[in-house]
């Protein structure tokens, strides 16, 4: 009985530690951004960190990891793009993308959890990213007083090639990371 309780506790400790590590990865990669002169939206590595979290943790725990990151940024630690934070960032022009990442994690994680099929995972992550784009574009249009098309041109179109590259990188590295963590008994 005691061994079973210790095993469950160990599993929970490992799980919490992995969620913490992936939250930390997002906190490290998220602020690294490159501002674009043509857009109020910077190039960010947040989505890459989320893709990795989904491969390592799966849908539920990967989404929890992102929500913790969001909370950390909301309360004032500078973990959002360009080392920003706070409620004003969530309510600002790029806040829709930050909220959209929640749905990206849920959709992308669902697909990753359900299949190992590379084309299906690719399409799933593209759809998940498109959903994030929709939230971000709608909010950018509203906050920036832009048409939806202008917000799309400023906040999505310049980012498509880079985001496709991030998906490919995550799809190449993510399964390998998960495989190594499983071999080490961490997942």
């Amino acid at each position: 009985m005691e061994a079973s309780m210790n095993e469950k506790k160990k599993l929970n400790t490992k799980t919490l530690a992995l969620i913490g590590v992936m939250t930390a990865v997002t906190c490290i990669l998220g602020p690294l951004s490159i501002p674009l002169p043509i857009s109020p939206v910077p190039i960010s590595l947040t989505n890459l960190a989320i893709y990795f979290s989904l491969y390592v943790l799966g849908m539920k725990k990967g989404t929890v990891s992102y929500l913790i990151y969001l909370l950390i940024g909301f309360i004032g630690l500078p973990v959002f793009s360009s080392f920003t934070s706070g409620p004003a960032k969530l309510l600002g022009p790029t806040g829709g993308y930050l909220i959209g990442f929640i749905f990206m994690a849920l959709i992308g994680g669902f697909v990753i959890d359900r299949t190992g099929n590379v084309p299906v995972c690719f399409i799933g992550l593209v759809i998940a990213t498109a959903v994030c784009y929709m939230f971000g574009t709608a909010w950018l249009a509203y906050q920036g007083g832009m048409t939806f098309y202008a917000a799309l041109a400023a906040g999505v179109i310049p980012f498509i090639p880079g985001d496709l590259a991030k998906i490919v990188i995550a799809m190449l590295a993510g399964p390998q990371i998960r495989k190594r963590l499983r071999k080490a008994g961490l997942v």
Side-chain angles (χ1 to χ4, degrees), residues 30-54:
L32 303 177
S33 59
I34 302 168
L36 293 178
I38 60 169
S39 174
V41 181
I43 296 172
S44 167
L45 296 177
T46 306
N47 53 348
L48 179 63
I50 295 168
Y51 299 144
F52 282 140
S53 293
L54 298 175

Side-chain angles (χ1 to χ4, degrees), residues 7 26 32 69 83 102 104 129 133 152 174 179 184:
E7 189 62 35
T26 309
L32 303 177
Y69 162 81
F83 297 93
I102 298 168
M104 184 182 86
T129 303
Y133 284 164
L152 194 65
K179 184 174 157 183

Side-chain angles (χ1 to χ4, degrees), residues 119-139:
V120 172
C121 283
F122 179 79
I123 291 167
L125 289 175
V126 167
I127 290 169
T129 303
V131 169
C132 178
Y133 284 164
M134 292 294 290
F135 277 90
T137 302
W139 189 250

